[in-house]
Amino acid sequence: MKLKTLTAVLALSLSAAQAEKLTIWLVGDNANMATIVQPAADLYKAKHKDVTFEIRTIPWSDAYTKYLAAIASKTGPDIITGGLSFGISLGEQGGLINLSQKYPDFTAQVRKVAQKGVMNSITATDGTLFAIPFDLTVQLMYYRTDVLAAAGIKGAPRTWNDYNKAVEKLRAAGKKGALIQWGNAGWLSYFPYLYQAGGQLYDDKCTKSVINSPEGVTALKYFTDFYTKYKAPTDGWPDMEAGLASGDYPIGITGNWSLGSLPVGQPKIEGKWKAAKLPAGPTGKSTAFIGGSVMGVMSYTKVPDLAVDFMKFLYTAPAVKAMIDSANKVGTLWIPARTDQASKLQLPADRKAALIAQLKDAEGPANCRGWEESGDAVQKAIQAVIFNGTDPKEALDAAAATMNKNLKK
């Protein structure tokens, strides 16, 4: 009996030693993010029965501060998600594992399948990758097919010129025209036109700002016309969905979230609206701004290999589908970083096609040093042109000077 008892105790001790726990903190402003990831964790646990999970959602407003506190105390989550800039920022402070150094095969695979614009944003200038893309948010154009047709407009505007002509026809027909919601009258909403014109925020090696290039000036002049010539609303967050529903603003540009919220919030216009890529600029490109979140492993974790193995699993087709399906159940459109898996999204075929097409032509914020500190200067420059009539070149020269100064800090 004593031998059996000892054997049982040893077996129990061995099981306890083998058991591992993953604590995951996910940014989000409601509990849905934890709900979305849980089914993927359940799938993983089915094949790794000794692994347990603690998954919680952290408000965006508190996330960065909480992560810094966890890094300082070396206690808290093993895996985190955060804004696109979190990876480089926390990683360069020693808070996240250098994934490209410690897990090169994994990061090489991620680079092959993740959305390219986001990868550019989250990779440090020396090629280091501290975090991988987790999910995506991208701009789209939404339009009322019936209202445009009544004004003599055939389909979605495909170019800058088409867009201007469409707004002119809508205003002539008694409508207010078009609006931008996400980042309205600021650097984020200017961003796609900068890239569509062939410009960039910085040169490819992050040695200087090139926002004040001829292409940047062309983009700002065109962008300014939205507000000065075509009278688009300038408030911080115009109600695009209400504008579409009323027909006052039959064209609107905002994030992909409206693909999910419009059918629920404005059911009376279901079947009367479509989504499309942004109109193409002089380069022929329809580049949109893309955001989202990244996922990284805390440097103090005692289970780094397990954490990375779970992150690898989240990039598999079964895990992606589980998260898409879970998001759909709670009324959220969750877009995976693997754009080849976007076909699994539960959307009407035409809306899904528009989203997938835009994901192929989208860029994220700069990965250059000092960009986070420079955003306000770019915002002020753009708004000085829109609201005060400042010369576009003069305004962008001032923004570039601040960006260059911050590059050297």
Side-chain angles (χ1 to χ4, degrees):
M1 290 294 292
K2 290 182 179 181
L3 180 60
K4 289 183 179 179
T5 302
L6 178 61
T7 301
V9 170
L10 288 173
L12 183 61
S13 299
L14 180 61
S15 175
Q18 289 175 336
E20 293 180 295
K21 178 182 178 181
L22 273 178
T23 300
I24 304 172
W25 290 2
L26 307 165
V27 289
D29 288 328
N30 54 51
N32 285 348
M33 282 312 306
T35 302
I36 290 168
V37 174
Q38 188 62 55
D42 293 341
L43 287 177
Y44 186 85
K45 186 172 174 56
K47 294 185 178 180
H48 304 80
K49 298 188 183 301
D50 291 321
V51 177
T52 61
F53 288 88
E54 179 186 325
I55 304 174
R56 69 168 71 172
T57 302
I58 303 297
W60 274 102
S61 59
D62 297 338
Y64 195 80
T65 300
K66 286 182 178 293
Y67 294 161
L68 288 176
I71 292 166
S73 65
K74 293 183 171 22
T75 59
D78 301 296
I79 295 173
I80 63 166
T81 67
L84 296 187
S85 66
F86 281 30
I88 294 174
S89 178
L90 294 174
E92 290 184 344
Q93 297 179 64
L96 297 178
I97 287 176
N98 182 336
L99 296 174
S100 51
Q101 182 181 72
K102 191 168 183 180
Y103 301 96
D105 292 343
F106 173 48
T107 54
Q109 186 59 33
V110 168
R111 293 182 198 277
K112 290 179 181 179
V113 299
Q115 203 278 338
K116 302 307 178 188
V118 166
M119 286 305 304
N120 292 336
S121 293
I122 68 173
T123 303
T125 53
D126 64 358
T128 299
L129 196 64
F130 293 104
I132 62 170
F134 175 61
D135 61 8
L136 305 174
T137 305
V138 70
Q139 286 176 313
L140 287 170
M141 179 169 62
Y142 300 82
Y143 64 101
R144 284 282 298 272
T145 52
D146 56 336
V147 179
L148 265 63
I153 304 164
K154 297 180 179 180
R158 297 192 176 190
T159 66
W160 284 11
N161 191 45
D162 289 346
Y163 185 91
N164 288 351
K165 288 182 177 179
V167 174
E168 288 169 0
K169 286 184 176 181
L170 289 170
R171 289 177 61 80
K175 304 300 180 181
K176 293 182 179 179
L179 62 78
I180 299 174
Q181 183 183 68
W182 189 13
N184 189 36
W187 76 260
L188 191 152
S189 50
Y190 163 71
F191 182 97
Y193 303 100
L194 173 64
Y195 279 77
Q196 291 164 18
Q200 297 180 179
L201 293 170
Y202 299 89
D203 64 8
D204 290 338
K205 295 184 179 181
C206 290
T207 63
K208 65 178 181 179
S209 170
V210 293
I211 194 172
N212 56 340
S213 66
E215 294 81 7
V217 174
T218 295
L220 185 50
K221 288 179 178 178
Y222 178 75
F223 181 67
T224 300
D225 279 348
F226 290 177
Y227 305 98
T228 57
K229 184 176 181 180
Y230 299 117
K231 308 303 179 184
T234 57
D235 47 308
W237 194 263
D239 192 338
M240 189 210 74
E241 295 183 10
L244 280 182
S246 68
D248 287 340
Y249 291 100
I251 299 174
I253 295 173
T254 195
N256 53 257
W257 53 78
S258 284
L259 291 174
S261 57
L262 262 172
V264 176
Q266 303 293 347
K268 292 182 179 180
I269 59 169
E270 185 60 25
K272 298 179 180 180
W273 64 270
K274 288 187 176 183
K277 294 193 301 180
L278 301 192
T283 61
K285 297 185 67 176
S286 299
T287 308
F289 177 81
I290 193 165
S293 65
V294 295
M295 176 173 279
V297 181
M298 291 298 222
S299 57
Y300 58 74
T301 181
K302 295 179 180 179
V303 287
D305 292 346
L306 175 62
V308 170
D309 192 63
F310 180 64
M311 287 165 60
K312 289 179 183 177
F313 177 71
L314 291 182
Y315 263 63
T316 65
V320 170
K321 186 176 186 304
M323 290 188 284
I324 288 174
D325 291 347
S326 179
N328 189 65
K329 288 178 182 178
V330 296
T332 299
L333 179 65
W334 183 83
I335 302 178
R338 277 189 61 175
T339 52
D340 64 324
Q341 296 295 306
S343 60
K344 293 184 171 67
L345 293 168
Q346 298 177 32
L347 291 169
D350 62 321
R351 296 172 193 173
K352 186 188 300 185
L355 174 61
I356 291 173
Q358 190 66 82
L359 287 171
K360 293 177 180 178
D361 188 0
E363 296 289 341
N367 65 342
C368 302
R369 183 179 298 276
W371 165 244
E372 290 288 321
E373 295 81 8
S374 300
D376 285 346
V378 177
Q379 187 93 343
K380 289 177 182 177
I382 291 166
Q383 293 183 347
V385 177
I386 294 171
F387 299 119
N388 303 329
T390 301
D391 177 74
K393 180 64 165 64
E394 179 183 325
L396 292 179
D397 282 345
T402 299
M403 294 165 74
N404 288 330
K405 182 180 178 181
N406 289 334
L407 268 173
K408 299 174 183 178
K409 287 183 176 180

